[in-house]
Structures are given as C-alpha cells and as structure tokens.
Amino acid sequence: MPKRILEGEVVSDKGDKTIVVKVERTLLHPLLRKTVRESKRYHAHDEQNAYKTGDRARIVECAPKSRLKRWEVLPKDAPASAQ
C-alpha cells in the first residue's frame, strides 16, 4: 500500500526534531450540502530542524518514531512526485 503524503502549514517547531503540521481539507456536509473546512494536526519528525512556524511542509507516513510521531517531513527541495 502506498504511503500517504499530506501538505499543510507548520504551526509549531518548539520540539527538538519535531514539528506540528496543520492539514486542512474541505468536504461537503451530508445534510446541508455546504462546503466545510476541517483541520487536523500531525506531529512529524524533522531531522535537520529545517522547518519553522509558518512554512508549508509536506509530510509522509512512516513507522512510529515516538508516542505521537507517525509522520516525517519530506526535504524542502524534493520534487512534488517524490516520496
């Protein structure tokens, strides 16, 4: 099964080698038929501490690295189709 890749905004970089990425998605409300925005925060492993608050980050699934970290960031210079 392929690994999922998500993109979002870094909302926290306070942890060492850890960032928190907020990923927003839109969906159609089943009853009201109105577009609704949902967001979720993911803890991701950032080995080089390269990302700062406000940056756009792409994250990919990985094996668990800690209690909360199940994602790791893709390098800033990686092409859009790379994993």
Side-chain angles (χ1 to χ4, degrees):
M1 194 160 98
K3 294 181 180 181
R4 290 182 292 169
I5 298 176
L6 301 175
E7 184 174 349
E9 181 182 356
V10 178
V11 293
S12 175
D13 64 343
K14 295 185 188 308
D16 184 33
K17 297 185 181 179
T18 301
I19 60 172
V20 180
V21 180
K22 183 172 84 170
V23 176
E24 286 191 348
R25 66 187 193 107
T26 59
L27 59 111
L28 195 62
H29 191 280
L31 181 63
L32 302 177
R33 300 293 180 209
K34 180 178 179 179
T35 303
V36 181
R37 286 193 314 181
E38 274 188 357
S39 64
K40 189 170 179 181
R41 292 162 44 113
Y42 296 94
H43 290 252
H45 183 71
D46 180 14
E47 185 67 36
Q48 283 81 31
N49 286 321
Y51 289 88
K52 301 299 176 201
T53 303
D55 291 348
R56 297 291 294 175
R58 296 178 64 236
I59 57 176
V60 63
E61 283 182 306
C62 67
K65 296 193 180 291
S66 71
R67 183 171 66 97
L68 295 175
K69 289 198 291 187
R70 269 77 173 140
W71 297 82
E72 56 189 18
V73 296
L74 291 173
K76 285 186 174 185
D77 54 355
S81 62
Q83 288 191 16

